[in-house]
Amino acid sequence: MVTRTAQITNEYGIHCRPSCLIAKAAGQLGCRVTVLTEAGAHADATRVLDLLGLALVAGDTVSISCEGEGEGEAAERMAALFAREFDFIR
């Protein structure tokens, strides 16, 4: 298992559109991806509703754990997605 941390930088947090992109990317990986918040909430990163349920806002920090084939690369990719500044609303 490989774990990486990421800080949410998106001004509007991880709302529906980023959640969809993250879930799609996680589903294409060959490993299990789990997200854990500082408050102890966790989610399966392939499930949009689980991600939305975390209610992640700008400034929050999450831990992303990947377990399985290609877990190192997967953890880096997922951490980058959570830290990305999305521009959907502008």
Side-chain angles (χ1 to χ4, degrees), residues 2-3 7 17 30 32 35 38 41 44 48 56 60 80-81 90:
V2 175
T3 302
Q7 185 172 31
R17 287 183 183 170
R32 179 184 168 114
V35 181
E38 291 177 309
D44 177 343
V48 174
L56 297 170
D60 285 350
L81 276 173
R90 294 178 196 177

Side-chain angles (χ1 to χ4, degrees), residues 66-89:
C66 297
E67 185 172 0
E69 185 180 331
E71 59 191 22
E73 184 178 327
E76 293 295 332
R77 182 174 179 199
M78 295 307 297
L81 276 173
F82 275 94
R84 180 176 165 191
E85 177 66 37
F86 295 93
D87 61 356
F88 296 120
I89 298 180

Side-chain angles (χ1 to χ4, degrees), residues 43-66:
D44 177 343
T46 63
R47 301 177 55 101
V48 174
L49 291 178
D50 283 3
L51 292 172
L52 289 172
L54 296 176
L56 297 170
V57 297
D60 285 350
T61 301
V62 294
S63 294
I64 301 113
S65 298
C66 297

